[in-house]
Amino acid sequence: MVFSIDVEDWAQSVLNNSNPVSNRVYDNTLLLLDILEEHQHKATFFTLGNVAKKHPELIRRIADAGHEVASHGYNHDAIFKLTPKQIMEDVTNSVKSLEDTSGTKVIGFRAPNFSIREYLFEWYCEALAENGLKYDSSLFPMKVIKYGIEKKYSFKIFNEYGINEHYLNYMKLGKYKLPFFGGGYFRLLPYSVTKHLSSKLNEKHAVFYMHPYEVDTDELAVVKEL
């Protein structure tokens, strides 16, 4: 199983990009590092460039602990809101920031809010390949309110650019695909349901994702203030 963490500050990346990156993302990510060490498990940390700028020592601690540092974009801007030039700039800036800070080569990318669209595939893959990235984990193969792709699509362009796609998992309920293995879905569903559904997944290819703020019991109080 791929255990992945989208390293972002809730108030900045989800509520309002103009908010400064807070210290909560630092403290919460350290807690996750402790949990992973306790259970001797490695993870992929899809990290925002602005988090690396605010907390460079955090990125070094992730890398020094033997985890993978990957990119989550720079400011958590939705890919479909960017021009092809801006996509290239966003990927380039985020990768450079993470590589300079961690001292490791970044080869993976996850778009903020899984915000890729099929009409953007070529520009998107070009930006990834130009920056030496080898894989992507942005495809939500079902349509939900904010993101996802329900219509048929092809990985041909990804293959042409040498990009492997590790898409998010889902369950089937009749003709519908429903997400369950991470993020808000993991928070809302009873653990017994998640455990049962995940037992049916391919152990080598299953992708679980979460965020640092999901281990922060005081986050809601902070959000209310904002």
Side-chain angles (χ1 to χ4, degrees):
M1 181 185 77
V2 178
F3 191 106
S4 64
I5 300 163
D6 294 354
V7 183
E8 58 189 56
D9 181 57
W10 195 97
Q12 184 277 326
S13 62
V14 180
L15 187 62
N16 191 329
N17 280 18
S18 65
N19 287 328
V21 174
S22 76
N23 291 330
R24 303 194 78 86
V25 66
Y26 179 86
D27 295 334
N28 295 334
T29 304
L30 288 185
L31 177 56
L32 280 172
L33 285 171
D34 289 342
I35 294 171
L36 288 166
E37 182 179 5
E38 178 184 351
H39 293 278
Q40 298 184 335
H41 197 85
K42 299 301 180 185
T44 295
F45 287 74
F46 290 102
T47 309
L48 290 176
N50 61 21
V51 172
K53 181 179 180 180
K54 175 68 180 291
H55 300 295
E57 66 280 13
L58 176 64
I59 313 307
R60 289 191 288 270
R61 290 187 67 165
I62 293 171
D64 290 346
H67 302 287
E68 180 185 8
V69 176
S71 175
H72 194 37
Y74 198 88
N75 287 316
H76 209 265
D77 293 318
I79 296 297
F80 59 76
K81 292 183 178 180
L82 303 178
T83 65
K85 180 181 178 182
Q86 288 173 326
I87 293 173
M88 180 68 76
E89 290 173 348
D90 184 82
V91 174
T92 300
N93 290 338
S94 68
V95 169
K96 185 178 187 307
S97 176
L98 293 167
E99 289 184 342
D100 289 349
T101 307
S102 69
T104 62
K105 174 61 183 156
V106 172
I107 63 170
F109 192 90
R110 174 173 289 160
N113 283 338
F114 309 104
S115 54
I116 59 172
R117 297 289 186 272
E118 63 278 4
Y119 69 89
L120 291 171
F121 278 2
E122 185 159 7
W123 296 324
Y124 181 70
C125 290
E126 181 181 359
L128 300 187
E130 187 71 21
N131 284 280
L133 299 173
K134 302 300 182 183
Y135 77 87
D136 176 71
S137 183
S138 305
L139 187 62
F140 226 93
M142 70 218 80
K143 190 65 178 173
V144 294
I145 294 174
K146 292 176 64 177
Y147 45 76
I149 303 175
E150 189 63 50
K151 63 178 68 175
K152 290 185 178 181
Y153 48 83
S154 170
F155 285 129
K156 180 181 178 181
I157 296 175
F158 285 79
N159 295 333
E160 290 175 354
Y161 280 95
I163 305 296
N164 291 318
E165 178 61 38
H166 299 276
Y167 57 83
L168 276 295
N169 299 105
Y170 57 86
M171 60 178 171
K172 278 193 171 183
L173 193 61
K175 64 178 182 179
Y176 298 102
K177 297 177 183 177
L178 299 174
F180 74 96
F181 206 41
Y185 316 105
F186 179 68
R187 296 196 303 272
L188 293 171
L189 286 174
Y191 178 66
S192 58
V193 175
T194 302
K195 185 177 181 180
H196 172 70
L197 292 171
S198 61
S199 68
K200 303 177 184 298
L201 297 176
N202 184 308
E203 291 184 3
K204 290 185 177 180
H205 301 290
V207 179
F208 176 84
Y209 77 100
M210 65 174 300
H211 311 85
Y213 51 77
E214 283 159 345
V215 295
D216 187 346
T217 57
D218 297 322
E219 183 78 24
L220 184 58
V222 175
V223 170
K224 284 182 178 179
E225 290 180 4
L226 293 171

